[in-house]
């Protein structure tokens, strides 16, 4: 392989990742990946794999990855919400211009309940933020 491989590989899983140390310095010139830890993004837990001790370099690399991963996931969350706003706009246009009575009947109650729930949450959260902002006055 022409490219230099990273020293660590993170196999992403739902709550974090499995961490592998990448080794290409062996006689067969093949890539060896040795699992060194399991990481939980939600609670910040780093569990060494197989009773091994993690070096300061290992821990620093893992913590850097965790920080970067959290930023990626947060950006994805916002992007998903912005896409949902687009979908709501497209849904409104569809309902106004293309939907048949039968199609509207099939989705109206679900949409109304979902939008009511969302509106209730957003109004409550907005009021909480406003109250917090006024406490400092």
């Amino acid at each position: 392989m022409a490219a230099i491989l990273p020293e660590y590989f993170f196999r992403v899983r739902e709550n974090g990742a499995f961490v592998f140390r990448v080794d290409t310095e062996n006689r067969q010139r093949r890539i060896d990946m040795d699992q060194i830890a399991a990481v939980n993004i939600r609670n910040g837990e780093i569990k060494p794999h197989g009773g091994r001790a993690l070096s300061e370099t290992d821990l620093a690399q893992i913590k850097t990855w965790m920080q970067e991963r959290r930023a990626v996931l947060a950006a994805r969350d916002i992007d998903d919400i912005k896409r949902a706003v687009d979908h709501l706009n497209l849904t409104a246009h569809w309902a106004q211009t293309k939907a048949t009575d039968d199609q509207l009947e099939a989705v109206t109650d679900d949409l109304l309940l979902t939008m009511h729930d969302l509106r209730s949450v957003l109004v409550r959260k907005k009021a909480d933020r406003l109250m917090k902002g006024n406490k400092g006055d």
Side-chain angles (χ1 to χ4, degrees), residues 10 14 20 34 42 56 61 68 71-73 84 96 98 103 111 134:
F10 295 82
E14 188 172 329
F20 296 85
D34 182 28
R42 290 190 183 137
E56 290 301 316
Q61 291 289 328
E68 291 170 355
V72 164
L73 294 174
Q96 186 173 21
K98 298 177 186 175
Q103 289 172 323
L111 282 169
N134 289 338

Side-chain angles (χ1 to χ4, degrees), residues 5-58:
L5 295 174
E7 189 175 349
Y8 297 92
F9 172 73
F10 295 82
R11 182 194 301 154
V12 175
R13 59 191 183 122
E14 188 172 329
N15 294 337
F18 292 121
V19 184
F20 296 85
R21 188 174 293 118
V22 178
D23 177 20
T24 57
E25 303 296 324
N26 55 58
R27 287 186 288 177
Q28 293 84 17
R29 303 186 122 212
R30 64 175 205 233
I31 299 169
D32 286 331
M33 295 189 347
D34 182 28
Q35 184 177 350
I36 62 170
V39 174
N40 185 317
I41 288 288
R42 290 190 183 137
N43 65 15
E45 186 175 47
I46 300 170
K47 287 185 186 176
H49 180 73
R52 75 177 66 237
L54 299 175
S55 71
E56 290 301 316
T57 302
D58 294 337

Side-chain angles (χ1 to χ4, degrees), residues 113-131:
L113 289 170
T114 299
M115 290 185 305
H116 175 74
D117 181 40
L118 176 60
R119 183 183 185 284
S120 298
V121 169
L122 292 174
V123 167
R124 186 175 61 249
K125 293 288 195 170
K126 178 83 171 189
D128 290 348
R129 288 193 313 275
L130 289 172
M131 293 302 291

Side-chain angles (χ1 to χ4, degrees), residues 35-101:
Q35 184 177 350
I36 62 170
V39 174
N40 185 317
I41 288 288
R42 290 190 183 137
N43 65 15
E45 186 175 47
I46 300 170
K47 287 185 186 176
H49 180 73
R52 75 177 66 237
L54 299 175
S55 71
E56 290 301 316
T57 302
D58 294 337
L59 288 172
Q61 291 289 328
I62 291 169
K63 288 176 182 178
T64 297
W65 180 86
M66 290 172 74
Q67 195 172 36
E68 291 170 355
R69 182 69 179 166
R70 284 185 183 114
V72 164
L73 294 174
R76 285 183 185 168
D77 283 346
I78 294 300
D79 187 58
D80 287 347
I81 298 306
K82 289 181 178 183
R83 288 174 193 259
V85 170
D86 287 348
H87 267 323
L88 285 171
N89 284 314
L90 292 170
T91 301
H93 183 69
W94 168 82
Q96 186 173 21
T97 62
K98 298 177 186 175
T100 66
D101 288 345

